[in-house]
Amino acid sequence: MILSIVNPNATHAMTESVVQTARMVAAPGTRIDARTNTSGPLSIEGSVDGAMAVPGMLELMRAAEAEGADAHVIACFDDTGLDAARSLLSAPVIGIGEAGARAAGFIARRFTIVTTLSVSVPILEDNLIRYGLAGHATVRASEIPVLELEANPDRTMARLSAEIAAAIAHDRAEAIVLGCAGMTSLATQLSKRHDVPVVDGVAAAITFAEALVALGLRTTAHGLYAPPRGKAEKDGDAALANQNSVSENTVL
């Protein structure tokens, strides 16, 4: 199968980190098609960044499906543009935020998501409500900007560890979900340090996407995910079909 992974932000290093995780967890025979939305913001921190990332991200995903992708992963924990992508594409689309939260729900009654900045907390809380998991989860911010996660590894580990310890002590968390694609390489180390399951949404999303393909399931064409109706374009409109997006495409 061909698994399309799109990084909605324009930071190539984050895409490469996600690809490394995908290589480790993907089943033999799965080809990884990784694309970076270089028309988007360098990082997604809040609603404005998320909105700016969606058009380019959707164009990359549509191109990947036209080239044979069997499933898609959106590599942003906010699940940026998830509903729109599911409406536009017929292959399954998994957001790493939903994947991480649902994986945690399989193994623990209560869990805490540890994300980057406080601006992301309301977004993730709203997503948990939509996924039916709000009563089982808490969201905490480490206050580390996305682009600084890899700049100072010792500081990153210290801040994440402090929030995980607080989650276990005060939230009664039985599992932790790392709330950013840029944290994908840290799950194993943090799990050993705190003796609790630590879920990486990237790894969970890869596995769920493969499972849906194996089950022969595709996104419904009814209700919320019904395909968009065709509309006449105004002169000069930059519709998705004619949008000129720039991407970095890695097929493994």
Side-chain angles (χ1 to χ4, degrees):
M1 65 168 284
I2 300 174
L3 178 58
S4 161
I5 303 174
V6 172
N7 174 11
N9 73 44
T11 300
H12 297 303
M14 190 172 297
T15 307
E16 290 304 316
S17 181
V18 168
V19 167
Q20 289 179 16
T21 295
R23 285 174 171 172
M24 290 188 291
V25 302
T30 295
R31 293 174 56 204
I32 305 298
D33 177 350
R35 306 183 185 217
T36 302
N37 177 26
T38 56
S39 66
L42 288 174
S43 63
I44 296 177
E45 296 169 326
S47 299
V48 173
D49 288 339
M52 291 175 63
V54 170
M57 182 197 80
L58 292 179
E59 180 64 12
L60 294 180
M61 296 177 77
R62 187 163 65 173
E65 185 152 302
E67 294 167 18
D70 297 293
H72 307 269
V73 169
I74 297 174
C76 175
F77 202 87
D78 289 5
D79 290 342
T80 303
L82 180 59
D83 287 339
R86 285 176 173 166
S87 297
L88 188 66
L89 307 165
S90 59
V93 181
I94 304 293
I96 67 170
E98 182 176 11
R102 293 202 184 281
F106 289 141
I107 59 172
R109 185 177 181 278
R110 292 196 59 79
F111 60 91
T112 294
I113 296 171
V114 179
T115 189
T116 50
L117 300 178
S118 295
V119 69
S120 295
V121 171
I123 295 171
L124 303 186
E125 290 176 336
D126 286 349
N127 286 348
L128 287 167
I129 292 171
R130 294 181 62 237
Y131 304 150
L133 295 169
H136 300 276
T138 304
V139 184
R140 288 178 169 268
S142 63
E143 301 302 351
I144 305 173
V146 171
L147 297 179
E148 293 182 16
L149 287 169
E150 295 183 357
N152 190 333
D154 291 339
R155 177 177 178 269
T156 294
M157 287 298 295
R159 290 294 305 128
L160 293 178
S161 288
E163 290 303 325
I164 290 173
I168 294 169
H170 303 298
D171 304 343
R172 296 180 291 120
E174 303 156 359
I176 302 297
V177 181
L178 298 180
C180 179
M183 301 175 183
T184 184
S185 64
L186 305 177
T188 300
Q189 185 177 351
L190 288 166
S191 181
K192 290 179 179 179
R193 180 177 295 190
H194 295 278
D195 194 29
V196 293
V198 176
V199 180
D200 165 36
V202 173
I206 299 297
T207 304
F208 287 155
E210 289 182 319
L212 290 174
V213 173
L215 291 168
L217 297 175
R218 300 178 74 80
T219 302
T220 182
H222 303 281
L224 177 62
Y225 299 145
R229 295 187 303 110
K231 299 179 179 67
E233 296 178 21
K234 298 177 182 178
D235 291 340
D237 276 356
L240 276 175
N242 300 313
Q243 190 175 34
N244 294 319
S245 295
V246 179
S247 70
E248 178 179 275
N249 183 5
T250 305
V251 179
L252 304 170

